[in-house]
Amino acid sequence: MNLPLTESEPDAARTGARELLELQQAAFLCEGPPTAAVRRERIDRLTAMVLDNADAYVEALVADYGTRSPTGIRFAEIVGMLSVLEHTRSHVRSWMRSRNPSPAARLMGIRAEVQPTPLGVVGIVGPWNFPLNLVILPAAAAFAAGNRVMIKMSEVTARTAELTARLAAEYFDPAELAVVTGGPDVAAAFTALPFDHLFFTGSPRIGQLVARAAAENLVPVTLELGGKNPVVVGRAADIGRAARRIARARMVNGGQVCVCPDYVFVPEEHFAEFTGALRTELRTLYPAIQDDADYTASVDRANYDRVVGLIEDARTRGAEVESLAPPHEPAADPVTRKIAPTLITGVTDDMRVAREEVFGPVLALRPYRELAEVTGHVAAGHSPLVAYWFGPDDADFRTFVRNTRSGGVARNDFAIHMFPSDAPFGGVGHSGMGAYHGKAGFDTFSHHRTVVGSALPFPVTALAAPPFTPFLRNGVGLALRAAAFRARRRLGR
């Protein structure tokens, strides 16, 4: 995707997306904030659109990837989001209620309330790794908050995009939900529109361009990005169990997940044991790869070449690279775009694999002596989307949590920080800004407007505008002296 727009890009992409936005903006202004019943019904239709056509989505995603597990698609793309959708739907009415921030102020004749109000039209730009899940969940949150929604699907998974566009037209009026498809020119036109909020899931590099394009119209953005997610095996961990779980976590969707483990720190005294257990588990899991319909391929040749390039760069710079390809199978096949699980040791900071998010079935392994080495390394880099710890909830774990920064922390399992339906999910720093899931999503797509009324027998402006009476001057001076006394006392002065 090339942003921002240039004059050479087709006007049709710009015009079509803008007309949809104007249609939704007009409908929002005409109808006003929808009722709780309307919001829930929109979420119900969104859910039905997916569930009624689950088999069609599986077929489209398998075709887009070349090889991707149908069972994995059903679980990760569809089943995995149902609890969040249900939680969102069931809490819409309670989240919509105004709150009274200062109950005691009523006694003084001031009534204040904070009203969650919809923003208007939300734009959502989806990724290719989970092209269904990662547009449906933010769309449901935007509906819960009372907004209209426009979605730009990834052109990399074109069949899934076209299917979603066709189904959206069957289940929704375009003034409620519209799905836009197309390549980089359409994406550029979409992100340059004056939405009321823009939600993007993808890489940090493209996230920067999206934020820059949105800034031209002062559009607030939520960026769900990625990063190099560290894994720390604690000294008190069950080494075999940790290796087995980390092996499986790295291979979810062929490693093409923003919350996949990227590199692993292992106590040096357990390094050989861990590496052996990891190697055994991966070979046991994948006795064959090229003919395995459940082994996910790289989504396209560009991503395949990028991951292979990371491996070869590490090898050239002196790392030890171990492919766990089955006997008589290649380490990587450009025709099937399948890359065998690969372990890299002896990693140094000048290697690309040490700096770039891998997004493939590759794990870099690093020994450590002291926990401070680990926390120092993680803290010195960009904040990851998730940090993993394997071992008990002990003092070392709490030190790791306290001395590092990440979007979330998961202990002893893959992505479990995403399991609670009402827990916010999002990144921090280089891994993103803003959050969604549960009420966090409702709040992201709402403006919390303060409404205050006065029944005081005098205007507040009488205290702020001249002329100032001697009584008021003395009162202000007394208030300042009292505040200064409190501050000095708290500081022990």
Side-chain angles (χ1 to χ4, degrees):
M1 180 164 60
N2 301 308
L3 299 172
L5 286 169
T6 65
E7 292 182 0
S8 63
E9 292 168 331
D11 290 337
R14 196 191 305 252
T15 302
R18 182 174 293 276
E19 287 177 348
L20 282 171
L21 175 60
E22 291 172 352
L23 173 68
Q24 293 201 356
Q25 288 173 329
F28 178 78
L29 292 174
C30 178
E31 298 178 18
T35 65
V38 169
R39 300 180 193 203
R40 285 199 299 261
E41 194 266 344
R42 287 174 178 167
I43 295 172
D44 288 342
R45 274 187 281 146
L46 191 66
T47 305
M49 184 184 83
V50 175
L51 295 179
D52 292 348
N53 300 280
D55 290 342
Y57 271 114
V58 170
E59 292 176 9
L61 278 161
V62 169
D64 279 331
Y65 271 75
T67 304
R68 187 172 175 183
S69 168
T71 300
I73 292 170
R74 288 185 174 91
F75 175 77
E77 291 278 10
I78 301 174
V79 174
M81 67 180 171
L82 295 181
S83 62
V84 178
L85 291 172
E86 186 60 31
H87 179 84
T88 299
R89 183 196 184 282
S90 64
H91 286 79
V92 165
R93 187 176 296 278
S94 63
W95 293 342
M96 289 174 62
R97 295 192 188 111
S98 299
R99 63 180 180 88
N100 185 346
S102 302
R106 290 195 180 192
L107 300 176
M108 302 171 58
I110 296 177
R111 179 174 181 173
E113 60 180 318
V114 177
Q115 301 175 342
T117 57
L119 296 173
V121 180
V122 171
I124 297 171
V125 181
W128 53 258
N129 61 332
F130 292 100
L132 182 62
N133 182 299
L134 296 180
V135 298
I136 295 297
L137 285 180
F143 279 152
N147 300 284
R148 312 294 172 119
V149 176
M150 289 175 58
I151 297 172
K152 167 61 178 72
M153 301 288 290
S154 171
E155 65 273 17
V156 175
T157 46
R159 297 171 183 83
T160 305
E162 293 298 334
L163 175 62
T164 305
R166 177 173 61 80
L167 293 175
E170 296 176 9
Y171 284 77
F172 290 91
D173 187 288
E176 298 173 299
L177 173 70
V179 174
V180 176
T181 63
D185 54 343
V186 179
F190 190 91
T191 55
L193 290 173
F195 290 108
D196 297 292
H197 195 99
L198 185 59
F199 185 100
F200 170 80
T201 302
S203 70
R205 181 180 66 85
I206 301 299
Q208 290 176 328
L209 301 176
V210 169
R212 190 176 302 142
E216 291 296 320
N217 293 303
L218 295 180
V219 175
V221 296
T222 297
L223 301 178
E224 296 296 341
L225 309 177
K228 295 191 70 61
N229 303 316
V231 184
V232 182
V233 178
R235 282 196 154 82
D238 181 320
I239 299 300
R241 184 173 69 175
R244 290 190 295 273
R245 293 188 177 187
I246 293 167
R248 288 179 176 269
R250 174 74 271 190
M251 299 307 297
V252 173
N253 199 37
Q256 298 166 111
V257 187
C258 58
V259 292
C260 264
D262 198 285
Y263 61 102
V264 188
F265 276 106
V266 185
E268 62 177 7
E269 66 270 24
H270 299 308
F271 193 77
E273 178 187 359
F274 177 85
T275 304
L278 190 66
R279 182 186 300 114
T280 298
E281 179 69 7
L282 287 167
R283 283 179 169 159
T284 301
L285 289 173
Y286 308 111
I289 289 177
Q290 297 303 322
D291 294 329
D292 185 351
D294 284 340
Y295 193 98
T296 303
S298 294
V299 69
D300 58 15
R301 184 59 187 264
N303 198 53
Y304 169 89
D305 288 342
R306 186 188 58 79
V307 175
V308 170
L310 292 176
I311 296 170
E312 291 309 311
D313 174 81
R315 192 195 312 273
T316 300
R317 295 177 186 275
E320 183 177 334
V321 175
E322 180 181 7
S323 172
L324 300 179
H328 313 298
E329 288 196 18
D333 187 334
V335 176
T336 63
R337 302 194 306 276
K338 289 184 177 183
I339 302 170
T342 303
L343 306 181
I344 302 180
T345 55
V347 175
T348 56
D349 291 341
D350 64 321
M351 298 174 185
R352 289 175 55 203
V353 76
R355 304 189 308 272
E356 300 177 22
E357 184 178 10
V358 175
F359 235 61
V362 179
L363 266 178
L365 308 178
R366 293 173 175 257
Y368 74 91
R369 294 183 179 179
E370 302 295 335
L371 185 58
E373 300 173 37
V374 176
T375 57
H377 179 92
V378 175
H382 293 304
S383 300
L385 187 56
V386 56
Y388 289 97
W389 178 275
F390 282 80
D393 187 349
D394 56 12
D396 280 352
F397 171 65
R398 290 297 159 179
T399 297
F400 175 72
V401 172
R402 184 172 61 251
N403 293 332
T404 59
R405 190 173 72 148
S406 60
V409 178
R411 187 171 63 87
N412 286 338
D413 212 340
F414 170 69
I416 54 171
H417 65 300
M418 299 172 62
F419 279 30
S421 299
D422 57 346
F425 171 75
V428 61
H430 204 69
S431 58
M433 63 178 75
Y436 70 125
H437 290 193
K439 191 173 186 297
F442 178 89
D443 290 340
T444 288
F445 298 119
S446 298
H447 170 60
H448 293 268
R449 182 168 58 174
T450 300
V451 179
V452 180
S454 174
L456 294 171
F458 59 88
V460 174
T461 50
L463 305 176
F468 300 110
T469 65
F471 176 79
L472 183 59
R473 290 192 182 96
N474 291 334
V476 170
L478 180 62
L480 287 174
R481 287 193 294 275
F485 173 77
R486 286 195 303 272
R488 289 193 297 271
R489 185 176 61 184
R490 289 167 180 167
L491 293 171
R493 296 177 182 175

